[in-house]
Amino acid sequence: MNQNKTVKKIDFDKILNTVRVFAPATVANMICGFDILGFAVDYPGDEVVMYRVATPGVRIRSITGDDGRLPVDADKNTVSACVQMVLEYLGISKEIGVEIELIKHMPIGSGLGSSSASTVGGLFAINSLLGNPLTKEELLPFCVEGERLACGHGHADNVAPALMGGITLIRGQHPLDVIKLPVPEELYAGIVFPKVDVPTRDARQLIKEKVFLRDAVTQWGNIAGLIAGLYERDYALISRSMHDVLIEPTRAILIPEFYTMKQIALDAGALSFGISGSGPSVVAISRGEETAKNAANLIQKHLTDCEIDSFKYVSPVNINGPKIL
Ligand code: HSE
């Protein structure tokens, strides 16, 4: 990890015995900003409980809610591997022992930043346990490394909003340059997860490496329009900017009923509709909770009529990121 070592000294007497953390799910891309925009939601999210133990090392005590899909081997599990990295970075990996309970409250491979929420929860927990030797900015590169371990690519558009809260812009990847954007108060997400598995790794492989200049021009116009709309709290500008001409046409084929769901959301008055992260969750970004709820309900009803199981979540944008429970 290429960082300057300006970390606080750890006071071993002040290390906590246990800490329980909630870390939020995220809607990466925010429709038009592939790999650079994302926002956190109040729910769902994951919980991490971390215990200080006498024997040095990092171990997974238990994982629940994952249907047995995540590795409990501490070297292979993303959360424990990232916690280990932080302990090594702080130079205390031989002195500290921690055990981790991971409680998943959201489906894996859903496009809701499931691995990011767990990683951010784990890193926020170890930092809290140790008395916050690192700032959030200093923790972020470790979170990105977790994303790389989880899906083979270190994009930051899930981990940044999960850690920082709110809406974040990844202005640059190397070095990381993350900007928190204003959050218009009435912005709500009506999220529906059709129960089909779309691993981020696969969804990324589908995307074309090259794009047409005219499409790039449309896309960066939309991204700039969205950012201006957020600063101006101009919902009409936000609405007409949230269109994705680069990624959605390719990924939509992985999501059952995508274009019908889109029509339903827009007819229900959503500002925009699109894929959450790499899918298959979809999101009706709306002005006000009622519209978001209504859009999500109608989408879910349609999926039920098509005999496709789904979950739905309606949430405002989460402002603060992880929290101690
Ligand atoms: N920006 C990433 C993607 C998010 O769309 O592949 C993955 O959750």
Side-chain angles (χ1 to χ4, degrees):
M1 203 64 39
N2 186 19
Q3 293 183 344
N4 292 330
K5 284 215 175 194
T6 52
V7 293
K8 266 203 299 184
K9 203 165 155 24
I10 310 289
D11 183 344
F12 279 77
D13 292 335
K14 292 207 174 130
I15 296 177
L16 303 176
N17 286 328
T18 181
V19 67
R20 179 183 285 263
V21 164
F22 168 89
T26 40
V27 174
N29 300 336
M30 210 172 172
I31 316 288
C32 57
F34 177 69
D35 276 1
I36 63 164
L37 290 173
F39 63 87
V41 288
D42 280 346
Y43 24 79
D46 284 346
E47 261 176 79
V48 173
V49 191
M50 194 169 284
Y51 303 88
R52 184 183 183 186
V53 294
T55 313
V58 180
R59 285 169 293 279
I60 299 283
R61 199 179 265 191
S62 65
I63 305 178
T64 49
D66 69 327
D67 293 329
R69 290 174 63 182
L70 298 177
V72 284
D73 178 341
D75 295 331
K76 299 203 179 98
N77 183 284
T78 314
V79 180
S80 43
C82 289
V83 170
Q84 177 69 22
M85 273 186 243
V86 165
L87 294 180
E88 279 166 17
Y89 174 75
L90 294 172
I92 55 171
S93 61
K94 302 270 185 294
E95 294 156 82
I96 288 286
V98 292
E99 290 186 3
I100 298 166
E101 253 175 58
L102 173 60
I103 304 147
K104 301 254 356 135
H105 293 295
M106 71 173 111
I108 296 168
S110 57
L112 292 172
S114 171
S115 58
S116 303
S118 299
T119 304
V120 165
L123 289 171
F124 192 81
I126 188 65
N127 201 41
S128 306
L129 201 83
L130 298 174
N132 295 308
L134 300 174
T135 62
K136 281 189 172 180
E137 286 71 19
E138 289 166 331
L139 270 184
L140 187 58
F142 296 97
C143 301
V144 174
E145 201 44 40
E147 200 70 329
R148 194 186 317 283
L149 292 175
C151 75
H153 188 271
H155 49 273
D157 54 340
N158 287 111
V159 286
L163 181 66
M164 309 285 183
I167 305 173
T168 55
L169 164 68
I170 316 299
R171 206 284 312 153
Q173 286 273 354
H174 309 290
L176 262 179
D177 185 0
V178 178
I179 297 151
K180 276 194 84 166
L181 299 172
V183 179
E185 276 148 32
E186 294 172 79
L187 219 50
Y188 272 76
I191 298 167
V192 179
F193 165 53
K195 285 200 208 164
V196 289
D197 205 356
V198 178
T200 297
R201 205 180 281 265
D202 298 352
R204 292 187 77 84
Q205 276 166 2
L206 265 190
I207 298 168
K208 285 178 280 184
E209 287 280 321
K210 294 186 175 162
V211 299
F212 287 110
L213 183 61
R214 62 165 187 272
D215 291 338
V217 171
T218 303
Q219 197 88 355
W220 62 55
N222 280 336
I223 294 168
L226 173 55
I227 306 256
L230 294 174
Y231 275 94
E232 297 288 324
R233 279 148 168 94
D234 179 338
Y235 290 92
L237 177 56
I238 291 171
S239 176
R240 65 179 187 272
S241 301
M242 280 194 288
H243 295 285
D244 172 15
V245 297
L246 293 183
I247 312 295
E248 182 179 293
T250 311
R251 282 185 171 168
I253 55 174
L254 297 174
I255 302 172
E257 298 299 306
F258 181 82
Y259 289 103
T260 309
M261 293 192 284
K262 185 171 197 162
Q263 198 55 53
I264 291 171
L266 297 179
D267 289 348
L271 297 171
S272 178
F273 172 90
I275 304 171
S276 172
S278 55
S281 288
V282 290
V283 58
I285 299 179
S286 308
R287 181 173 191 173
E289 187 174 13
E290 273 318 299
T291 307
K293 242 185 213 165
N294 194 27
N297 285 343
L298 291 169
I299 290 169
Q300 190 171 44
K301 183 181 176 311
H302 175 72
L303 290 177
T304 307
D305 290 345
C306 297
E307 299 183 352
I308 300 166
D309 282 344
S310 63
F311 289 136
K312 73 169 186 271
Y313 311 94
V314 177
S315 172
V317 176
N318 167 292
I319 302 299
N320 296 316
K323 63 179 178 201
I324 306 274
L325 298 176

